[in-house]
Amino acid sequence: MAKILVVDDSPTQLTNLVKMVENQGHEAITASNGMEGIEQARAQKPDLILMDVVMPELNGFQATRKINKDAELGGIPVILVTTKDQETDKVWGERQGAAGYIVKPAKEPELAAMIKRVLG
């Protein structure tokens, strides 16, 4: 069982993702924006982060970049889960250090497979 941080500013999306994570037998912790996500990552040391992109203050691309450049957090893989479905968005996400990219609405089998792949 892994500890997975779910970061999304939409309460509905957050609830859906948490449900999917818990259905896979993992522990879910949450944050409602990028800054809070970074703070939770520091405090909770998750095994994996599921990160929305479109959020106020600090978007998911920015938060992913900060996490990957941080000496303490850099080893935590980030999967972007977003409505941004253009190939350029996926490439940009990878350039920020994302380990995976899922287009919303996330489907549980796809999310489960991505989590398994990223966590090994």
Side-chain angles (χ1 to χ4, degrees):
M1 178 176 89
K3 184 191 296 184
I4 299 177
L5 172 59
V6 182
V7 185
D8 201 308
D9 62 326
S10 160
T12 303
Q13 290 291 335
L14 199 61
T15 300
N16 290 342
L17 288 168
V18 164
K19 205 174 292 182
M20 287 187 236
V21 164
E22 290 174 344
N23 284 346
Q24 301 305 312
H26 302 296
E27 175 188 350
I29 49 179
T30 63
S32 58
N33 63 54
M35 286 304 293
E36 187 184 333
I38 291 171
E39 291 164 11
Q40 282 284 60
R42 275 194 212 298
Q44 301 283 335
K45 303 290 189 282
D47 300 299
L48 174 68
I49 301 170
L50 300 179
M51 180 81 69
D52 184 23
V53 170
V54 182
M55 295 183 288
E57 289 181 59
L58 190 69
N59 72 41
F61 290 140
Q62 295 165 322
T64 299
R65 185 171 54 247
K66 282 184 178 288
I67 288 165
N68 279 293
K69 289 187 176 197
D70 187 285
E72 184 185 352
L73 304 176
I76 303 171
V78 178
I79 297 173
L80 294 171
V81 184
T82 178
T83 56
K84 295 180 80 58
D85 63 353
Q86 300 298 307
E87 190 59 35
T88 53
D89 297 319
K90 293 176 186 173
V91 170
W92 186 244
E94 288 171 9
R95 291 185 65 188
Q96 306 317 302
Y101 198 101
I102 294 176
V103 176
K104 288 180 184 176
K107 293 168 188 64
E108 193 164 338
E110 178 188 17
L111 183 66
M114 181 73 71
I115 290 170
K116 190 173 183 177
R117 181 183 68 78
V118 170
L119 290 178

